[in-house]
Amino acid sequence: MKIITAKDKKEAGRICADMFEEVIREKEDALLGLATGSTPIGLYDCLSEDYSRGRISMAGVHTINLDEYVGLGRDHEQSFGYFMDEHLFSRVNIPAGNIMLLNGLSDPRKEIEIYESFLAQNRIDILILGIGNNGHIGFNEPEPVFRTRTHLVDLTPETIEANARFFTSADEVPKKALTMGMGGICAARKICLAAFGAGKADAISRMLRDDTVDPMLPCSVLKLCSDVTVIIDQDLKDHMR
Ligand code: GLP
């Protein structure tokens, strides 16, 4: 695991974008694994700016997103599909047919089947991951075991609370979500885990403290993956124990 400390979120976004662009330049039909939340916004801004300046083309790129709330459609402002349209897909030239998103309004079993058959045939070339305060990745919440396949999750009260900032109240946050499992995540050829600010310091400190892999700290599974870069900001570093 390689650790990079960036000055701030902006610099971290640039570092992630450089890693993504290197992959896209080497393989124009690369499969990008994408996350939502505030963390990857800097990456998406850099990719969009570089596209508009003609520095990269994403015409051959394919994408797959990590997760989605159950019950929210792509036109709902808090759905992850909407987030992706707003922050990336509407700003670059990825063909609509190359975008894989979980549909929060469809039958979860059907969505799981679609995702798993896609992941059985395709490996993510580069994956951006954020992290929950409790160490979750995608929506793989702390549990006694890791789940390898795409699955339905009951969000923890902690995650519902953390994500309430995007809704008018915690009551409005969906209680269930669909997420890619650890199988799809760990199969990625390259992973960038980005984490910023004091709130993530505990999870990152626990992950880096030793060589254990603990399903109660989902991000610790990344110690088993082959090419992982952890990008933190100075604020997080200052709060590490
Ligand atoms: C959600 C997403 C995660 C993301 C996390 C952190 O729970 N499912 O993929 O990493 O939020 O969000 P933020 O980056 O806003 O801190």
Side-chain angles (χ1 to χ4, degrees):
M1 221 175 233
K2 185 173 158 196
I3 322 288
I4 299 176
T5 306
K7 188 169 77 217
D8 52 24
K9 288 182 191 180
K10 194 161 185 246
E11 190 178 280
R14 186 65 257 166
I15 294 167
C16 293
D18 288 344
M19 291 174 71
F20 268 67
E21 291 178 17
E22 193 185 324
V23 170
I24 297 167
R25 285 196 188 97
E26 271 171 22
K27 187 177 176 189
E28 62 183 34
D29 62 346
L31 174 60
L32 313 182
L34 304 177
T36 51
S38 53
T39 307
I41 290 179
L43 161 67
Y44 300 151
D45 284 345
C46 286
L47 291 175
S48 306
E49 279 158 27
D50 290 346
Y51 164 69
S52 66
R53 290 193 188 119
R55 288 190 59 202
I56 47 153
S57 170
M58 298 180 81
V61 160
H62 293 252
T63 69
I64 183 165
N65 263 78
L66 283 171
D67 47 13
E68 182 58 277
Y69 288 119
V70 169
L72 303 191
R74 193 167 171 180
D75 58 353
H76 188 290
E77 279 186 27
Q78 300 309 335
S79 74
F80 292 161
Y82 188 99
F83 174 98
M84 291 310 304
D85 286 333
E86 190 182 1
H87 291 282
L88 187 69
F89 300 148
S90 63
R91 304 166 74 193
V92 296
N93 62 339
I94 303 170
N98 290 6
I99 293 168
M100 277 285 277
L101 288 165
L102 288 156
N103 180 352
L105 294 180
S106 160
D107 175 359
R109 281 167 307 186
K110 200 179 116 210
E111 291 303 298
I112 290 169
E113 209 181 298
I114 296 170
Y115 249 47
E116 284 304 308
S117 66
F118 181 84
L119 288 167
Q121 290 163 51
N122 300 277
R123 208 170 144 197
I124 295 171
D125 290 294
I126 183 163
L127 168 65
I128 177 72
L129 288 177
I131 184 176
N133 292 352
N134 61 6
H136 75 223
I137 48 177
F139 269 137
N140 289 275
E141 294 278 35
E143 282 194 274
V145 291
F146 285 124
R147 305 283 302 274
T148 59
R149 290 165 52 88
T150 305
H151 59 283
L152 190 59
V153 239
D154 290 315
L155 299 177
T156 61
E158 218 173 344
T159 297
I160 292 170
E161 192 55 45
N163 290 357
R165 65 200 148 116
F166 299 113
F167 295 81
T168 28
S169 74
D171 290 344
E172 282 183 30
V173 184
K175 308 294 176 278
K176 287 183 187 294
L178 279 165
T179 185
M180 189 185 292
M182 296 304 197
I185 291 174
C186 291
R189 291 191 166 89
K190 210 180 255 294
I191 298 175
C192 305
L193 171 72
F196 312 134
K200 311 282 171 76
D202 180 60
I204 296 289
S205 304
R206 285 166 61 208
M207 176 179 76
L208 298 177
R209 188 182 301 155
D210 57 29
D211 64 352
T212 60
V213 171
D214 177 359
M216 295 306 289
L217 182 68
C219 59
S220 67
V221 78
L222 299 174
K223 289 179 222 178
L224 297 173
C225 307
S226 60
D227 185 348
V228 180
T229 304
V230 180
I231 299 138
I232 57 173
D233 67 349
Q234 191 57 48
D235 185 26
L236 186 151
K237 193 171 185 186
D238 294 341
H239 286 89
M240 276 173 74
R241 288 174 292 112

